[in-house]
Amino acid sequence: MQQFFSGLYEIVLGRPIPANFTNDYREVVFPNTGLMLFIISLAMVVVYYYVLNRMMSTGLYKTQHWVMFLILNAIIAFIIPITQVTGNEIETHAYTYMFAFVNVVYSLILFFVFSILLKRGSVQAWTTPMKWPNKR
């Protein structure tokens, strides 16, 4: 798992800076951030489709509601890497903020993919953010 998340972030960001924190990033920060990103994005999609729009029937099924959850997920995804870096006593600088930005991009992709995969189980939001691939 360490290699997967390290590779996922380093393919876009390059080697961690400063170089003396490379092992900290690879062994702790990248895996923790990636795992939290995956879990939180999945949880946000489950809450949107299955809690709010199935069990509670809140009527938050419009695309604008979905975008609100997407943005909330992106904000959380921006905060996670910064807290991981500062929590591990690593200097924050431009690399940290680029890392946070890349995490936001990954969160947007994950949220969209999880939405496509899980929206069929929703009673009210099965067409959000788009009708495809449903055949109702």
Side-chain angles (χ1 to χ4, degrees):
M1 187 163 72
Q2 279 180 329
Q3 291 178 344
F4 174 74
F5 287 119
S6 294
L8 190 65
Y9 288 111
E10 286 186 28
I11 198 163
V12 176
L13 295 167
R15 291 185 59 141
I17 300 172
N20 55 329
F21 290 112
T22 299
N23 287 338
D24 293 329
Y25 271 99
R26 288 180 179 165
E27 294 174 5
V28 178
V29 176
F30 287 154
N32 288 350
T33 301
L35 191 58
M36 288 176 71
L37 170 71
F38 188 85
I39 291 169
I40 290 171
S41 295
L42 180 60
M44 293 288 288
V45 169
V46 167
V47 165
Y48 178 75
Y49 286 105
Y50 293 100
V51 175
L52 295 177
N53 284 301
R54 185 179 179 123
M55 288 193 281
M56 293 178 65
S57 298
T58 58
L60 296 174
Y61 56 86
K62 295 182 181 176
T63 303
Q64 64 199 27
H65 301 127
W66 181 84
V67 170
M68 288 180 354
F69 272 80
L70 178 76
I71 291 170
L72 179 62
N73 189 51
I75 291 168
I76 294 169
F78 186 82
I79 294 169
I80 290 171
I82 295 170
T83 57
Q84 283 291 315
V85 168
T86 57
N88 287 294
E89 299 175 4
I90 301 172
E91 299 173 24
T92 56
H93 44 77
Y95 187 85
T96 306
Y97 295 104
M98 284 302 299
F99 173 38
F101 177 74
V102 167
N103 207 49
V104 166
V105 172
Y106 287 155
S107 78
L108 297 174
I109 293 167
L110 273 177
F111 192 88
F112 182 76
V113 169
F114 287 149
S115 290
I116 297 299
L117 294 175
L118 298 176
K119 70 181 187 171
R120 291 178 189 224
S122 178
V123 174
Q124 294 186 19
W126 62 272
T127 61
T128 308
M130 62 187 154
K131 288 186 180 182
W132 178 85
N134 290 331
K135 297 179 181 178
R136 285 187 187 182

